[in-house]
Amino acid sequence: MNIFKTFFLFLIITATLSSSEIKNISLQLQWKYQFQFAGFIIAKEKGFYKEAGFDVDIKEWQNGINMVDEVINCKSDYAVSRSTSMIDISKGKGILYLAAIFQSSPLILLTDKSSGITTVKEFKEKKIMSTGDFNADTSILSMMFSQGINLKDFEVLKPS
């Protein structure tokens, strides 16, 4: 909810400094519509953005979308991004953080109990569904690498 509060506060401040007409802005999400984005979605549904003078287009993530590039290429005004976007800043991409929220990675490896997999090492030679965006999956890759599993040791399937 801290991201929502920061974004909402930014919108209110900007609205009070600008004219009273409605301004269209877009927000690119880093994933599909789900609970982690409830604050943004509910604020739109409840009309909070409109009250602040904004018509916000909340854009669900699609395969192949890079949140940083969406903003840089003016396809979105704002984006919810991962901490790995710091890599983009280090490569000279001109982005500005409105808020940096520190949290644990929500990424996990999940398997059915019937698979018999009980340790990370047992994912070797398995198929793993992921976006294939290794910048976004850094925490999963780090966990795998720490257990001796390399990129060649598993097959990545795109989400379906």
Side-chain angles (χ1 to χ4, degrees):
M1 282 310 244
N2 287 336
I3 292 173
F4 167 71
K5 289 177 186 174
T6 304
F7 186 69
F8 187 67
L9 179 62
F10 173 78
L11 291 178
I12 289 173
I13 291 169
T14 306
T16 59
L17 298 175
S18 65
S19 68
S20 61
E21 60 186 63
I22 298 287
K23 181 175 180 177
N24 294 322
I25 62 171
S26 57
L27 171 65
Q28 176 63 58
L29 301 179
Q30 70 184 20
W31 193 238
K32 305 291 186 180
Y33 290 127
Q34 61 185 22
F35 185 76
Q36 78 183 92
F37 306 117
F40 299 121
I41 297 165
I42 295 300
K44 180 174 179 159
E45 294 299 316
K46 293 278 190 181
F48 297 154
Y49 296 132
K50 286 262 194 242
E51 288 175 21
F54 295 97
D55 181 12
V56 179
D57 177 24
I58 300 174
K59 299 161 63 175
E60 182 179 52
W61 179 85
Q62 302 293 322
N63 261 337
I65 288 181
N66 176 299
M67 287 71 64
V68 171
D69 291 341
E70 287 291 300
V71 172
I72 288 173
N73 296 324
C74 300
K75 294 180 180 177
S76 295
D77 298 302
Y78 302 95
V80 176
S81 190
R82 295 175 174 88
S83 57
T84 54
S85 61
M86 293 299 285
I87 295 168
D88 294 301
I89 291 174
S90 73
K91 292 180 178 177
K93 290 191 176 181
I95 57 174
L96 175 67
Y97 276 25
L98 295 177
I101 307 303
F102 297 96
Q103 63 182 22
S104 298
S105 172
L107 298 179
I108 62 168
L109 291 173
L110 182 70
T111 185
D112 188 87
K113 190 174 184 176
S114 66
S115 73
I117 295 174
T118 58
T119 69
V120 173
K121 289 181 180 181
E122 294 170 8
F123 278 96
K124 192 171 186 170
E125 305 300 324
K126 302 292 188 223
K127 295 177 182 177
I128 298 173
M129 189 171 288
S130 169
T131 63
D133 177 356
F134 295 125
N135 284 335
D137 296 340
T138 302
S139 59
I140 293 288
L141 291 177
S142 296
M143 178 177 61
M144 306 268 296
F145 294 165
S146 75
Q147 298 299 306
I149 300 174
N150 298 307
L151 291 174
K152 63 180 173 37
D153 294 332
F154 59 92
E155 180 182 350
V156 176
L157 303 176
K158 294 283 184 186
S160 60

